[in-house]
Amino acid sequence: MLQLSLSWLGLGPVAASPWLVTPTEEGMKKVTQLVATYPQGFKFWMGPTFPLLTLCHPDTIRPITSASAAVAPKDMIFYGFLKPWLGDGLLLSGGDKWSRHRRMLTPAFHFNILKPYMKIFNKSVNIMHDKWQRLASEGSARLDMFEHLSLMTLDSLQKCVFNFESNCQEKPSEYIATILELSALIEKRNQHVLVYPDFLYHLTPDGQRFLRACRLVHDFTDAVIQERRRTLPTQGIDDFLKNKAKSKTLDFIDVLLLSKDEDGKELSDEDIRAEADTFMFGGHDTTASGLSWVLYHLAQHPEYQERCRQEARELLKDREPVEIEWDDLAQLPFLTMCIKESLRLHPPVPAVSRCCTQDIVLPDGRIIPKGLRPLPLLPREHQGEVTSGFYSLLGRAQKLHWAGVRHG
C-alpha cells in the first residue's frame, strides 16, 4: 500500500490504494473522500521516489494560479506524453512562442467566424439524433452516450478545422479511429510509471502503436495544409476569401494559413499542424465529456429536463426549419444555468500540471519548494473561487520541505 504523509497538516499517515489516481469511478471516489477528509491538502506517493502533494483549498492554490508563467510554467512530465502528437501547439508551448501563437489565433474565435459553425453543429447533432432513433426503433435499450457524443464532436471538429466530411458517425474513419486510439494510449501510459521515460515506452508495443498513430494523424493534417497552400497562390488571398464568403465558412486551417504576426511573418506548416492537431485533441474529448455529464444530470432531475425542453420549444415554435441559431443561445437562460452547474459539478478538465521554478510562499507562511509539480482537480464547493481549484505538486525527491520541516 502507498502511504500518505499528512504530518504537515497535523495529520497522521493514511494508507492509499496505488490506483488512487486512476481515472476510474473507484479512483475518483477515493479522491473525493480524501478531499472531504483533508480539505487543505494531502500527499501520496507514486512509486518510491515520486511524491504528489495535493492542495485543495482556494487560498492555498491562489499563489500558484496567480504566479507568472516563468514561476509556474507547464510541467512536461505528463504534458510531454502529448508532444510527439501535438508538437508545440497552444497546449504545450510556453513563453514567447505561446504568446505569439495566442495573438495569431485570436481571429479564429471572432463571433463572425464562429456564427456559421452553428449549421455544422446542427447537422452533426441531427445525424446523431437520427442514429439514436434508429437504434431505439431496433430495440436498443442502452446507449453509450460518451461514445456517440465523441463521434459527434469529432465529426463537427473535422468540418470546422479541416472543412472535411468524414461521415464518421455513420461509417468507420481511419483518422477518427486513430485520434481515439492516441487518446486511449496516452491515458494508459499515464497510469504506468515504469513507461514514463520515452526510451522505454517506445520499446513497448503500445509505444510503437503510438508512434505509428502519430504518423498517420500528421500525414492527414499535412495533406490538408499542402492542398490549401496550393490553392492560395492560384486564387490569391482576396479571391480565396470571396469564395469562402460564398460558402459562409472559414475553417481553422484557413485562419492559420492567413495569420501573420506584427512583423508580417506567417506560421510554418509545422506550427499549423501542431495547432490543428491540438484543437482536434483538446476539443473532442472535453466537449463530449461535458455534454455527457449534462445529459446525466438532466436525467437525474427530470423536472429540470422538462423545463429545458419547454424553454427550447417556446423559442423554436412556428420556426421552420426547427434549428437553433447563433442569436438563440442568449435566449436560453435556464438551459445555460443547467450546463454551467453540470460543468461545476463535473468539469471535463479537472486537472492541469505546473512546475514551480522557485519557492512559492503560501498565505500561512508555508513554502512550496522549487521543483515541485502541480496537477489540479476542482473540488465542486470551491469552483468559481479560483481559476483552477485543486493542485497536486509533484516532486522527484523522496522528501518534501515544508516551512523548515522534512516529511516523508
Side-chain angles (χ1 to χ4, degrees):
M1 299 291 281
L2 297 181
Q3 293 291 316
L4 281 84
S5 178
L6 299 166
S7 49
W8 67 278
L9 296 173
L11 301 167
V14 177
S17 165
W19 314 116
L20 176 68
V21 292
T22 58
T24 63
E25 183 174 358
E26 184 63 25
M28 292 308 297
K29 283 181 178 178
K30 289 181 178 178
V31 170
T32 302
Q33 291 168 1
L34 284 168
V35 173
T37 306
Y38 310 108
Q40 292 295 317
F42 52 90
K43 182 182 77 179
F44 62 91
W45 295 83
M46 293 178 65
T49 61
F50 202 83
L52 288 86
L53 177 63
T54 305
L55 305 179
C56 309
H57 197 278
D59 291 342
T60 310
I61 297 162
R62 194 169 286 112
I64 302 171
T65 58
S66 61
S68 69
V71 174
K74 298 171 184 175
D75 171 55
M76 295 309 292
I77 286 184
F78 296 121
Y79 285 138
F81 298 164
L82 296 162
K83 195 85 169 180
W85 175 13
L86 304 183
D88 273 331
L90 281 181
L91 180 63
L92 302 183
S93 61
D96 293 339
K97 185 168 189 175
W98 182 92
S99 299
R100 175 176 178 262
H101 283 209
R102 183 66 185 86
R103 291 194 299 272
M104 294 176 75
L105 265 62
T106 298
F109 302 98
H110 191 279
F111 68 89
N112 283 335
I113 288 179
L114 298 179
K115 274 184 179 181
Y117 290 169
M118 289 297 295
K119 290 189 178 296
I120 292 174
F121 300 153
N122 282 327
K123 181 180 178 181
S124 295
V125 170
N126 288 339
I127 292 171
M128 182 179 68
H129 283 167
D130 290 342
K131 187 166 62 172
W132 287 358
Q133 289 180 338
R134 185 175 67 252
L135 290 170
S137 67
E138 294 170 353
S140 296
R142 295 173 180 268
L143 294 176
D144 184 337
M145 287 293 177
F146 183 73
E147 178 184 335
H148 287 267
L149 287 165
S150 293
L151 288 174
M152 184 273 291
T153 57
L154 283 165
D155 190 19
S156 300
L157 277 168
Q158 273 206 293
K159 295 167 184 173
C160 295
V161 174
F162 300 115
N163 193 25
F164 183 81
E165 291 272 1
S166 68
N167 300 311
C168 65
Q169 295 192 77
E170 301 169 287
K171 64 180 184 181
S173 163
E174 184 181 25
Y175 174 79
I176 296 300
T178 305
I179 293 284
L180 295 172
E181 180 184 32
L182 284 168
S183 301
L185 286 170
I186 287 169
E187 186 53 58
K188 183 178 178 182
R189 183 184 182 186
N190 192 38
Q191 298 175 37
H192 294 85
V193 180
L194 293 179
V195 292
Y196 278 17
D198 285 342
F199 77 94
L200 287 177
Y201 183 63
H202 294 161
L203 294 175
T204 67
D206 278 352
Q208 292 168 21
R209 285 172 58 203
F210 178 77
L211 294 176
R212 283 196 299 270
C214 285
R215 287 193 293 270
L216 191 150
V217 170
H218 291 167
D219 288 346
F220 175 87
T221 309
D222 288 341
V224 174
I225 295 170
Q226 293 307 315
E227 178 60 32
R228 299 294 175 82
R229 283 213 184 274
R230 282 193 292 270
T231 303
L232 272 174
T234 58
Q235 288 187 331
I237 291 179
D238 290 339
D239 289 339
F240 179 81
L241 290 174
K242 285 179 182 178
N243 289 334
K244 283 292 178 178
K246 291 178 183 176
S247 66
K248 298 183 179 179
T249 58
L250 192 69
D251 63 47
F252 192 56
I253 292 288
D254 295 332
V255 174
L256 296 177
L257 284 168
L258 298 172
S259 294
K260 293 183 179 180
D261 63 17
E262 51 271 22
D263 298 323
K265 294 181 180 179
E266 300 177 346
L267 291 169
S268 68
D269 287 357
E270 185 177 356
D271 288 336
I272 293 173
R273 184 182 75 189
E275 300 299 352
D277 289 344
T278 293
F279 276 79
M280 285 300 299
F281 165 72
H284 88 270
D285 191 75
T286 53
T287 307
S289 175
L291 289 172
S292 296
W293 281 114
V294 170
L295 294 178
Y296 170 81
H297 288 299
L298 288 176
Q300 293 291 308
H301 300 277
E303 68 279 15
Y304 297 147
Q305 181 180 153
E306 185 58 29
R307 283 186 63 180
C308 290
R309 182 181 289 111
Q310 291 303 324
E311 184 177 65
R313 283 177 173 168
E314 183 64 25
L315 180 67
L316 296 172
K317 69 179 181 181
D318 303 325
R319 185 182 297 186
E320 190 62 40
V322 183
E323 287 188 350
I324 294 288
E325 298 175 355
W326 177 270
D327 293 336
D328 294 331
L329 300 177
Q331 308 303 317
L332 297 165
F334 188 76
L335 175 60
T336 300
M337 286 191 290
C338 289
I339 292 172
K340 288 183 176 180
E341 178 65 359
S342 178
L343 291 172
R344 185 186 73 84
L345 292 170
H346 292 98
V349 182
V352 297
S353 183
R354 295 290 181 265
C355 178
C356 300
T357 60
Q358 65 184 51
D359 290 356
I360 295 180
V361 181
L362 300 179
D364 62 2
R366 285 177 293 191
I367 296 172
I368 298 175
K370 172 183 177 180
L372 292 185
R373 293 170 165 79
L375 180 81
L377 180 86
L378 283 71
R380 62 190 63 174
E381 64 271 18
H382 294 311
Q383 287 180 31
E385 297 182 43
V386 290
T387 304
S388 295
F390 178 101
Y391 271 83
S392 301
L393 305 174
L394 285 69
R396 287 190 178 279
Q398 285 195 353
K399 297 181 179 179
L400 301 179
H401 185 249
W402 277 86
V405 180
R406 289 186 181 272
H407 303 291

